[in-house]
Amino acid sequence: MGKKVLTGITTSGIPHLGNLVGAILPAIIASNRPGISSFLFLADYHSLIKSQDPELTHNSSFEIAASWLACGLNPNEVTFYRQSDVPEIMELAWILSCVTAKGLMNRAHAYKAATNINFEQGTSDLDKSVTMGLFNYPVLMAADILAFNADQVPVGQDQKQHIEMTRDIAARFNHIYGDVFNLPDAVISSEAGILPGIDGRKMSKSYNNTIPIFLDEKALLKAIRKIKTNSLEPGVPKDPETCTVFQLYKAFASISQIEEMEVRYGDGIGWGEAKDILFSLVEEKIKPFREKYSEIIKEKGYLENTLIEGSVKARQAASITLKDVRDAVGIKSFQ
Ligand code: ADP
Ligand code: TRP
């Protein structure tokens, strides 16, 4: 079967240009490589940790699925599914939670961040507002990965700890019950590939500084015009390396376009013009995706069927692992 590469996308919020260049396009390119089996899924049960808004969870699942397909994911080449359509994952999450030390979960970043906020606010109960979902988040993520015995897990730097915890949990299970799980490796996207948002910090839903992928042309231009720049006048040479407009341009441009733009910066291009050039390039790249997206988003039935077909493939793979897991722990038929 070759190497199994698996990654999940939490279905909260709308995908932005950072997601496109940092996750969506690289995953699609990787899925076309020979010898790779790709598992890509909508982490909809994860979204309940962050959001208790049913409409947001539902719509986001639908929009994210449409985004991946619009950007070129071929569902016949990969296993593309909704986490909630694969009950084996939830079953595994329980079994794994029974070999996971509570102390390990106490050290998880997301949980620690929540207790730190309570500490800083002087709240006597450090666990105030912490749900069991948040606390168990790394176990569910381990189940997502181990249900398929994935070899590689491409994720952002912030998720690295979860893959380390997955390895700890898998090793603990193997130690108690015998070798069932493969220990997966994280594949971390390089810091160099991090796209800045309109305020210059990392583009992220959490910073409210994103440029969504599927804005219409007018809204895209408006978002690009909002990118923060310094106050240098046209005619004054500018440093491309420290400039957000240039960093975004670089993510979409060819080598010769990048070189040309560097010369224009040296010549003191005005910010208005630099932004117009950036807009034309992004618009050219995004347009075909946007057109496809507007078609797919109308096809609820197509999206549903694609995901159901994906879940059939996913369940086939996960049920093989689950059979081994159940046997290993002694939950099996009497004969
Ligand atoms: P957000 O920070 O907006 O919540 P996510 O954590 O949902 O984004 O990101 C999903 C994936 O998209 C990450 O694992 C990462 O690979 C990629 N990604 C997110 N933001 C960026 C960015 N600014 N630049 C490059 N890649 C990014
Ligand atoms: N927690 C990840 C995120 O917020 C998404 C995710 C859920 C995931 N399960 C996963 C990523 C399993 C990789 C493997 O980005």
Side-chain angles (χ1 to χ4, degrees):
M1 194 183 201
K3 278 218 176 315
K4 284 188 240 175
V5 180
L6 175 144
T7 199
I9 308 102
T10 306
T11 53
S12 46
I14 29 175
H16 51 73
L17 294 184
N19 300 141
L20 179 73
V21 301
I24 301 179
L25 295 180
I28 293 174
I29 292 167
S31 72
N32 292 327
R33 283 203 199 107
I36 299 277
S37 305
S38 283
F39 293 79
L40 278 170
F41 70 96
L42 304 166
D44 50 359
Y45 275 133
H46 282 271
S47 91
L48 301 187
I49 298 169
K50 296 186 191 167
S51 149
Q52 292 175 340
D53 175 346
E55 211 167 315
L56 183 117
T57 296
H58 182 74
N59 290 344
S60 164
S61 227
F62 181 60
E63 286 159 10
I64 291 179
S67 305
W68 279 80
L69 295 172
C71 294
L73 183 74
N74 179 348
N76 300 320
E77 297 287 328
V78 300
T79 306
F80 182 51
Y81 55 100
R82 262 182 308 226
Q83 180 187 35
S84 57
D85 286 333
V86 185
E88 287 78 7
I89 296 170
M90 303 313 291
E91 188 181 344
L92 182 58
W94 172 255
I95 299 172
L96 295 179
S97 76
C98 295
V99 299
T100 303
K102 176 176 175 288
L104 184 69
M105 296 298 96
N106 287 342
R107 291 192 287 278
H109 293 325
Y111 171 63
K112 268 174 60 181
T115 55
N116 270 345
I117 291 173
N118 285 330
F119 178 76
E120 274 158 22
Q121 290 176 346
T123 312
S124 60
D125 176 9
L126 292 184
D127 283 332
K128 185 165 178 255
S129 304
V130 174
T131 63
M132 286 306 295
L134 176 71
F135 191 67
N136 282 331
Y137 169 16
V139 180
L140 182 55
M141 200 154 146
D144 291 329
I145 298 167
L146 298 176
F148 300 92
N149 263 322
D151 299 292
Q152 292 183 344
V153 186
V155 281
Q157 180 68 34
D158 60 321
Q159 296 292 321
K160 191 169 166 225
Q161 188 198 38
H162 293 143
I163 314 302
E164 282 159 7
M165 289 182 161
T166 299
R167 292 172 65 95
D168 283 349
I169 295 169
R172 181 87 194 125
F173 184 97
N174 288 350
H175 176 73
I176 301 171
Y177 294 114
D179 274 351
V180 171
F181 295 122
N182 177 44
L183 305 195
D185 289 316
V187 180
I188 310 288
S189 39
S190 81
E191 283 296 314
I194 296 294
L195 216 65
I198 51 178
D199 60 359
R201 292 185 292 171
K202 171 188 181 259
M203 189 179 290
S204 170
K205 290 190 286 276
S206 338
Y207 296 149
N208 234 335
N209 63 355
T210 68
I211 302 180
I213 307 176
F214 299 110
L215 290 178
D216 64 34
E217 204 175 331
K218 231 168 102 191
L220 178 65
L221 178 61
K222 207 166 148 203
I224 287 178
R225 291 247 166 90
K226 274 200 207 139
I227 297 170
K228 239 197 195 154
T229 49
N230 58 30
S231 52
L232 293 178
E233 296 288 334
V236 181
K238 300 175 172 68
D239 177 13
E241 285 317 312
T242 55
C243 172
T244 305
V245 176
F246 186 78
Q247 295 312 313
L248 286 164
Y249 187 77
K250 231 164 98 173
F252 293 92
S254 66
I255 293 175
S256 65
Q257 283 174 317
I258 295 171
E259 284 169 359
E260 236 170 81
M261 194 63 149
E262 276 167 345
V263 173
R264 300 290 315 270
Y265 268 66
D267 292 344
I269 190 172
W271 291 131
E273 194 184 350
K275 287 178 180 178
D276 283 347
I277 296 174
L278 171 64
F279 164 73
S280 302
L281 181 68
V282 177
E283 173 59 21
E284 179 194 321
K285 301 278 167 177
I286 296 289
K287 198 173 177 191
F289 297 153
R290 186 196 292 131
E291 283 169 2
K292 191 93 192 283
Y293 182 82
S294 68
E295 280 167 29
I296 296 178
I297 204 80
K298 285 185 247 149
E299 301 282 339
K300 284 207 162 157
Y302 165 71
L303 270 175
E304 186 64 29
N305 288 341
T306 302
L307 290 170
I308 294 291
E309 278 167 25
S311 76
V312 171
K313 286 195 263 177
R315 290 195 71 182
Q316 262 164 10
S319 58
I320 295 172
T321 317
L322 260 292
K323 163 110 183 40
D324 291 345
V325 170
R326 272 193 230 113
D327 281 352
V329 302
I331 294 189
K332 54 186 171 183
S333 148
F334 291 150
Q335 32 172 324

